Amino acid sequence: QVPLVESGGGLVQAGGSLRLSCTASGRTSSTNAMGWFRQAPGKEREFVAAINWSGHNTYYTDHAKGRFTISRDNAKSTVYLQMSNLKPEDSAVYYCAAARSGETTAIVQALPDNLTWGRGTQVTVSA
């Protein structure tokens, strides 16, 4: 059983919006910090946004601030990434990740091997 499953990716025109979802199962619980990363072709995976276990603390990379919003619904074991004003450079495979502890630093400062990863969802933004 895959512990994290992303959905909501697709093709959208520049300036449009998408909402990604990541549903957790198995041992991933509501006490874990969660985050979103992305990887474009030929580039390294990069951090996008993180949210702590309660949802009260969030952290964004500069390119996401003001355009993306991360949130979570612990009752549904789901984390969301609302993306607005999308640009072609936002095109990438978006991955959900779960940390081993509850605060955003557990996502932002973690080594990739210390996170639990989903399989990703493709986002393509056309010009």
Side-chain angles (χ1 to χ4, degrees):
Q1 187 179 19
V2 178
L4 299 173
V5 179
E6 302 96 334
S7 61
L11 174 64
V12 64
Q13 289 187 332
S17 300
L18 281 175
R19 188 177 80 158
L20 306 183
S21 300
C22 172
T23 301
S25 60
R27 285 185 276 181
T28 304
S29 73
S30 59
T31 60
N32 299 94
M34 303 288 292
W36 288 94
F37 294 73
R38 70 185 187 185
Q39 186 169 19
K43 295 187 177 181
E44 293 187 353
R45 188 175 301 183
E46 63 176 1
F47 167 76
V48 176
I51 189 166
N52 79 327
W53 68 275
S54 68
H56 291 158
N57 291 323
T58 57
Y59 185 83
Y60 298 91
T61 191
D62 285 346
H63 66 69
K65 290 178 182 176
R67 298 190 301 127
F68 295 1
T69 301
I70 188 171
S71 61
R72 67 190 298 163
D73 184 341
N74 285 340
K76 297 181 179 179
S77 298
T78 300
V79 176
Y80 304 98
L81 185 68
Q82 178 68 49
M83 304 185 294
S84 303
N85 190 22
L86 284 161
K87 305 174 183 180
E89 52 264 41
D90 293 318
S91 297
V93 177
Y94 283 71
Y95 296 92
C96 176
R100 296 180 179 179
S101 58
E103 295 304 326
T104 56
T105 49
I107 289 286
V108 178
Q109 298 177 1
L111 295 174
D113 286 350
N114 291 336
L115 299 175
T116 299
W117 295 93
R119 292 177 176 172
T121 185
Q122 177 71 48
V123 171
T124 303
V125 184
S126 63

